[in-house]
Amino acid sequence: MTSNKKRAGVVGWPVEHSLSPRLHNYWLRQYRIHGTYEPFAVKLEQLKETLHTLCAQDFAGVNLTLPHKEAALKLVDIVDKHAKRAGAVNTIVMQEGKLKGSNTDMYGFTENLRSQQALEPGGHALVFGAGGAARAVCAGLLDEGYSIVLVNRTRTRADAIAQALGGGITVADWEEYPKEMQRSTLVVNTTSLGMTGQEPLHISLETLPAHTVVTDIVYNPLRTPLLEAAYARGNRTVDGLGMLLYQAQPGFEAWFGIKPEITRALREHVVAGLMS
Ligand code: ATR
């Protein structure tokens, strides 16, 4: 007997702190879908075999989290334009024995800003950090018509992102950020600094214009020291949890056939998971 239950999940190492099961299972209940979304703790060496096993078991697809996003680019059968641009795969759709890799982090980042009316085509963004998350953030902003100044502790990593994304990004040395901040309409932290257990991103907001929006991709805590400092100056802030919620939307739609809503109740449900 065959079951028509649709199955998806998240593959990572470690994976137990991932909020994705909490998020997707909320939607599965909300829309009364006969499906599951499970966490899979998988080491990098076992990623390829795991993906093929899940595909053979008729999984609809998976999300990928650390440390798999970049490695998956080489393991999937089809890489879509978003994954190519982000240089990473965070969402796989499994269909007819094939793995199709996409990246929804760019969408997640820009849709979250859009939902807060904080996206401004033609704006100037000052982006801190040059890891995998920074590349997706920069690609998303470029697609929305932003010009970007990218600052990172290790300058060569910022240069590599600017080169990979081909135009629209100026790399600046760390010492130059106060000057660059002055003409920014958006400031983004993509580094891991500010996360619970880590030191804050130590930057001065002295030159931050009053109209500039400040956002952080760190969502634990929801109000990072950077966002607190910007808020205290009267600037608009957008926290990083919305990016997590929005990046999940396209995957859920591809696997389960419904574009799920991002609601206040969903946000509260996921925030409760942060605290537990
Ligand atoms: P991810 O791919 O998730 O973005 P990552 O590749 O580890 O993660 O990148 C983390 C980012 O945080 C990098 O920009 C890193 O700067 P370096 O490229 O110089 O390593 C930045 N970062 C981490 N710790 C930092 C610190 N103490 N000071 C400044 N930047 C830091």
Side-chain angles (χ1 to χ4, degrees), residues 66 70 129-134 152-154 157 174 190-193 198-199:
L66 280 173
E70 271 102 10
N152 191 46
R153 175 178 62 180
T154 312
R157 293 187 80 192
W174 193 278
T190 74
T191 75
S192 44
L193 298 173
Q198 292 236 21
E199 57 180 296

Side-chain angles (χ1 to χ4, degrees), residues 79 138 194 200 204 272:
V79 179
C138 288
S204 160

Side-chain angles (χ1 to χ4, degrees), residues 1-7 33-36 58 255-256:
M1 204 171 68
T2 57
S3 157
N4 60 356
K5 187 190 265 189
K6 289 188 175 165
R7 299 172 75 190
I33 292 170
H34 186 50
T36 58
D58 274 341
W255 306 321
F256 300 114

